[in-house]
Amino acid sequence: MLSTFNRNEYLEKMAGNPLDLFIIGGGITGAGIALDATVRGLKVGLVDMQDFAGGTSSKSTKLVHGGLRYLKQFEVKIVAEVGKERAIVYENAPHVTTPEKMMLPIYKGGTFGRFSTSLGLKVYDFLAGVKKEERRVMFSRKETLAKEPLLKKEGLKGSGYYVEYRTDDARLTIEVIKEASDRGALAVNYAKVEDLIYNQKKKLIGVRVVDRLTKKEYSIFAKKIVNAAGPWVDTIRERDHSKKGKHLHLTKGVHIVIDGKRFPMKQSVYFDTTNGDKRMLFVIPREGKVYAGTTDTTYSRWPIDPKPTAEDRDYILDAINGMFPSVHLTSDDVESSWAGVRPLIQEEGKSPSEISRKDEIFISRSGLISIAGGKLTGYRKMAERVVDEVAAQLHREGGKTYPACRTAHIELSGGHFGGSTHYATYVQEQKQIGIGLGLTEKEAEELAKKYGTNIGELFGYIQMNQEEAKKYQLPPALLAAVHYALTHEMILSPVDYFTRRSGMTLFSIQSARKWAQPVTDYMAEQLQWSDQQTKEYARELEAAFNEASPYETTSDVSETKRV
């Protein structure tokens, strides 16, 4: 169980006895490594200096997608691997992964012609092992406009229609960590690795971790230490004096959110921007909203909480208005936004155009194992490669043999349906139970879809704590979700809940503002905050809401180059 209330105990356990593997970073990569290693029988610890998924892993395009654009670069191996991984992620966690029909419009003079689109999508289906019912379909101009009437009509020749998978990236990450935790991994957020510990032979044997809440220090020792810190991978490599050769090149991706009533598109679309920079954007309906992105600009600032700029926002709005000319969106239509930093890999002496989007493993002389690059979709395979290396080293050094990766068939927390085919039926059954507890049909269905096979925990709390909901003047479903996040998802602040566990900051910011005070009051009592702490967390939450809407007015010169 990943309980907020047991967090100190987990740190004490990590420091109490040497681990087989210690992981720096609680994003999707670190989470995947923790699950894979734990399933194979390793004793695992993990910390993140922020919240789980607090960095890049909650700020992506929120797609488990097959990398169709890599076909243009003839990256056949990447397409084959990540394409197949989409189906595995979906089968193991259908409550946080949803098949999404995607339209690729074909325009006269565009990047993709009708023949190349048809051929490309056919090759994509083959490489990715796409299920027969999800394979590409080619539409005429008339059929395309019937599917999405808002598309620009001038020069439209037709479209390709294929399947991607939409996800909640932060919840996918937390479900991976929860499954690892349920199987024995020790994971803690808001705990920062301040120092690396070496033996007399200059071999890495441990880390010094500081709990950012209590300021208490812990010395944690492990046979192997993996650096999966995302944009901070090079920070750890510098501390290890092993940053040489290849290094991270950070780029910033921005997304904006618009109300579906203002932008009533029917269909997810992946399209060329009309400004000639050869980039492509996604526009995706979700929960009554539409979100669009992404930008791709070089970023050289400290990676914590990158901000969208007015330039970023206008770039996306211009692209939308170019492809959907009747909507006439302005900056006033943007309800919220987010920015994330991608840790790409660049080799010394090579140009930015040669930046790799593949993942790579670096092993230093001290023994530090670093993993960088890659993408959300390929997290499981990245984890497999890292744990294979860890297992091989442990075998050479100690003679113990560990089994091969088994996570292709490991259902994630909340995803224990016995396969995606049972998901819809399960949701309908649980919806009726929720209605019987006094929830509205919408509330019951949303809870069942979001929490999957963990829904029983929330329903049990709703049944037993009606009076508490009245006390805090919160809907029972919302109070249950916050309570569950405290007892099973290690939230330590209201921002953790509203931004990463629920996504309300991004996709329902007005509701988030409405319930901010009672949720903060409830957490304050549960976690025994002082009045000063409560005020600080309330200010932090208000800042998060504000940051989701306004934009920096100036642009860092290092961010102006599109990659």
Side-chain angles (χ1 to χ4, degrees), residues 473-489:
Q473 296 184 315
L474 281 166
L478 178 54
L479 183 66
V482 177
H483 178 79
Y484 179 81
L486 282 166
T487 54
H488 290 78
E489 297 181 342

Side-chain angles (χ1 to χ4, degrees), residues 13-14 16-22 37-38 40-45 184-186 222-224 402:
K13 282 185 177 180
M14 278 191 242
N17 292 294
L19 302 165
D20 294 317
L21 173 63
F22 180 81
T38 303
R40 298 199 209 189
L42 278 74
K43 187 178 178 183
V44 176
L186 299 168
K223 295 174 185 174
K224 298 295 164 187
Y402 292 93

